[in-house]
Amino acid sequence: MNLLLRLRGGRGKFALSVAVAVLVGLGAAGGAASQAKASAAPAASAVPSAAGARAAAAPGLTPVLPCAQVGRLDFASVPGAATAIGSATPVAAADNPQGPWDACQVQGTIAPQIQFQLLLPTKTWQGEYLQDGCGGYCGSVGITTQAAAGCAPLTGGAFAVASDNGGHAGGSVYSASFGADPTLRASFGYQSEHVLALAAKAIIARFYGTGPRYSYFDGCSQGGHEALTEAQRYPHDFNGLIAGSPAGIMTELNVFFQGWNAQANTAPDGSQILTPADLAPLHSAVLQACDAADGTRDGLISDPLNCHFDPATLACAGRTPTASAFCLSPAQVTTVRKLYAGPRDAHGTLLYPGWQLPGSEANWAGWLVPVAPGAPSADQEIVQSTLRYMVSPGVDPSATYKDVKFTDAEFARITQANDGMYDATDPDLSAFRAAGGKLILWAGWADPEISPVGTIAYYQAVQHAMGGEQATDQFARLFLLPGVSHCGGGEGPDQFDALSAITGWVTADKAPDSLLTSSVDPSGATTATRPVFPYPQIAVDTTGGPTGQASSYTAQPGTRLGAVSWLGSFRSGYETVSGWVDGQWVTRPGKN
């Protein structure tokens, strides 16, 4: 998998060769449906929640201050997180969007301009703190916990909950204009969640007379990047972390992976090669070829690493496509092959450790494929904003996705410009493990925006750095959801409760052997359930029972990701460089 480790002396400097990415489906064409689906109530996790048991058995801890007084307190001297409270307002249970519990809503700013919101339960708090990550390039404050929908302790008010804007205000989730300010780059890149944790815990301690017993973080996409940043740079901030579809390889992801996607689907005249109308029949052909290869024919590909679909089998070969006889033009065959191959230089070397996996095609609309002629895709917008504001010391307001060059020289220029600013790829989590921390990683197998291949590659690097699979399983596990798109949505069951899983792991040492995922219709009714087992296991219907029923499935071995050779390996200028080469882990002196 060729993930480079670079040792520059001192814990926290040991990092993979990449910076880290930011995206989430908020506001994206095609993302609205995912967000709507993600807001529905999921089925409970397969792991009981210790926090839930405490919430049911014990009365809430009583505040020692009235809510309004919090707004008059001075938090400017919080070490490393000078904080100004803007307001502290009582919120009745009927008006609380997080659930029917009374709260004190605190809003404030942490220097330089990290805006945050903190909801403090006034009757139901059980000593738990949950911090929620932001999405895309952030820019606004909103508590939208994605891997805990329907979690009883959360909706019942057992947790104090906080979120921030990633260090800057305004703009869309795809706008990186704040990157013109190096200070705001640092806030976004690695500081915002750490200083919010410091400030929130200080406010909690004053309001209740005691700090939180346990602290947790949940985020997806950029929020997943924030979770990994916490594990790597600030291992004592949180007891448990949930990192969904983590944007852990930012620069390569936002420039080369998404730039490749955008260019691959653009014809010389600027028109799109694949259209939204092409995606459903293409996806159907992939399912026909690979659905049953994972042991269960259920309309989902549970083992896409074992699917090797060639789009040339759909080539028109002189035929004209019709509604009843779908086929791909030569240009479309080339585009699909490029998307499955991932971003490569002229020698065929990957510039990002990931590619589109078979089974993700139905989710390409909006992300890779514009929803209408002339409309930008999310990838086009993200690459443009990244090139303009995030990857060089200066600002280039004229840059577009068409300017990306897939060369060794361009790779070196782009990735070295902000070395250490955004990277959340350090596999040495020994300090986090020593602090008792637990980590749940998750991603959708059909995520088109942050390839799950990169997440698997990072997790396997963690396994190597932390002493192997069994040692890593004691504190970190990866779950991959069949058919699920970016941070939710897609065809597979995407509702689950990882918060109960992480609290049970932290407080009761109950490691999650599975997560129960559900599909929920617009009315809130559960239409299907399915277990998801830790990678590399997959769920297979071995009983012959209904494929929409979790009890039909058992854990079976899945395909492991092999070595992924990519250009991020063995860059120069470091004391030691290590990585996977031809399936072997090697270490060699760096070039100075």
Side-chain angles (χ1 to χ4, degrees):
M1 63 195 175
N2 237 15
L3 286 169
L4 166 67
L5 310 180
R6 304 176 304 182
L7 182 59
R8 291 188 286 176
R11 176 69 182 88
K13 296 287 189 177
F14 195 61
L16 292 171
S17 66
V18 290
V20 173
V22 292
L23 338 146
V24 79
L26 302 175
S34 298
Q35 293 302 316
K37 186 174 181 181
S39 68
S45 166
V47 180
S49 167
R54 288 195 302 277
L61 300 177
T62 305
V64 298
L65 297 175
C67 179
Q69 189 171 335
V70 176
R72 297 190 291 270
L73 298 177
D74 182 6
F75 292 98
S77 60
V78 175
T83 302
I85 304 298
S87 64
T89 308
V91 177
D95 299 323
N96 186 351
Q98 297 304 310
W101 41 278
D102 295 334
C104 176
Q105 182 185 67
V106 179
Q107 295 179 314
T109 303
I110 309 167
Q113 58 177 55
I114 301 168
Q115 298 173 355
F116 71 91
Q117 178 186 119
L118 172 63
L119 284 174
L120 302 167
T122 54
K123 299 177 182 177
T124 55
W125 189 56
Q126 300 297 317
E128 310 285 334
Y129 171 58
L130 173 65
Q131 193 162 307
D132 183 34
C134 59
Y137 275 123
C138 306
S140 61
V141 180
I143 298 173
T144 56
T145 305
Q146 295 190 338
C151 176
L154 176 62
T155 58
F159 292 86
V161 188
S163 186
D164 63 69
N165 66 353
H168 56 275
S172 73
V173 292
Y174 299 142
S175 173
S177 58
F178 67 89
D181 184 335
T183 299
L184 301 187
R185 286 191 185 190
S187 290
F188 172 81
Y190 59 90
Q191 293 174 346
S192 63
E193 303 316 299
H194 171 59
V195 297
L196 175 57
L198 298 177
K201 291 177 184 179
I203 296 169
I204 288 170
R206 294 290 296 275
F207 185 61
Y208 297 108
T210 183
R213 297 189 188 113
Y214 300 102
S215 298
Y216 304 94
F217 186 95
D218 174 30
C220 189
S221 196
Q222 167 58 10
H225 154 243
E226 291 167 342
L228 294 184
T229 298
E230 284 293 316
Q232 295 163 20
R233 295 184 184 239
Y234 310 107
H236 300 282
D237 280 355
F238 296 98
N239 304 101
L241 301 166
I242 304 169
S245 296
I249 310 172
M250 176 182 173
T251 304
E252 288 83 346
L253 175 67
N254 282 7
V255 175
F256 297 107
F257 181 66
Q258 288 156 8
W260 180 269
N261 294 340
Q263 290 190 21
N265 195 46
T266 303
D269 64 0
S271 63
Q272 61 191 72
I273 298 171
L274 290 171
T275 70
D278 299 317
L279 302 183
L282 170 61
H283 181 61
S284 294
V286 176
L287 287 179
Q288 182 64 31
C290 294
D291 182 5
D294 55 28
T296 304
R297 184 172 287 281
D298 55 359
L300 300 173
I301 298 177
S302 297
D303 194 9
L305 295 177
N306 192 37
C307 175
H308 308 288
F309 176 79
D310 185 355
T313 60
L314 297 176
C316 292
R319 295 183 291 117
T320 300
T322 65
S324 60
F326 173 75
C327 63
L328 296 173
S329 69
Q332 289 176 323
V333 169
T334 297
T335 289
V336 177
R337 280 179 167 172
K338 284 183 176 180
L339 295 174
Y340 287 157
R344 298 176 183 269
D345 66 12
H347 306 289
T349 303
L350 283 165
L351 283 77
Y352 170 81
W355 48 84
Q356 296 298 327
L357 286 174
S360 65
E361 303 81 14
N363 301 324
W364 291 357
W367 295 111
L368 285 66
V369 176
V371 295
S377 67
D379 282 352
Q380 290 173 358
E381 291 190 84
I382 292 165
V383 175
Q384 174 175 288
S385 196
T386 302
L387 289 178
R388 290 180 176 183
Y389 302 107
M390 299 293 283
V391 298
S392 63
V395 172
D396 183 3
S398 65
T400 75
Y401 72 93
K402 298 177 182 179
D403 295 323
V404 180
K405 300 178 181 64
F406 301 96
T407 65
D408 191 331
E410 184 74 348
F411 182 92
R413 184 186 74 83
I414 293 290
T415 57
Q416 292 175 10
N418 290 288
D419 180 45
M421 180 67 74
Y422 312 114
D423 52 320
T425 49
D426 184 351
D428 181 0
L429 302 183
S430 55
F432 180 69
R433 180 177 63 183
K438 309 299 182 188
L439 170 65
I440 291 177
L441 284 155
W442 71 273
W445 269 125
D447 185 343
E449 195 63 358
I450 298 179
S451 174
V453 173
T455 301
I456 300 170
Y458 171 72
Y459 182 67
Q460 292 182 167
V462 172
Q463 290 178 326
H464 175 82
M466 301 306 297
E469 288 188 32
Q470 291 186 349
T472 303
D473 280 350
Q474 301 305 306
F475 78 98
R477 297 189 178 191
L478 168 63
F479 297 85
L480 296 164
L481 283 57
V484 173
S485 188
H486 185 60
C487 295
E491 297 175 309
D494 67 336
Q495 302 292 291
F496 61 101
D497 177 10
L499 183 57
S500 292
I502 199 71
T503 59
W505 200 358
V506 167
T507 64
D509 199 26
K510 174 60 177 177
D513 292 325
S514 67
L515 296 176
L516 180 65
T517 64
S518 302
S519 293
V520 180
D521 68 18
S523 71
T526 298
T527 58
T529 58
R530 184 188 188 103
V532 176
F533 300 103
Y535 171 84
Q537 299 177 95
I538 62 173
V540 178
D541 185 348
T542 56
T543 68
T547 57
Q549 187 170 303
S551 59
S552 300
Y553 293 86
T554 60
Q556 299 295 316
T559 302
R560 292 176 181 271
L561 179 69
V564 179
S565 178
W566 69 293
L567 201 57
S569 298
F570 305 115
R571 284 170 49 201
S572 62
Y574 300 94
E575 295 174 10
T576 303
V577 287
S578 303
W580 288 97
V581 176
D582 298 328
Q584 300 294 320
W585 187 269
V586 299
T587 300
R588 63 179 68 162
K591 300 176 182 178
N592 295 311

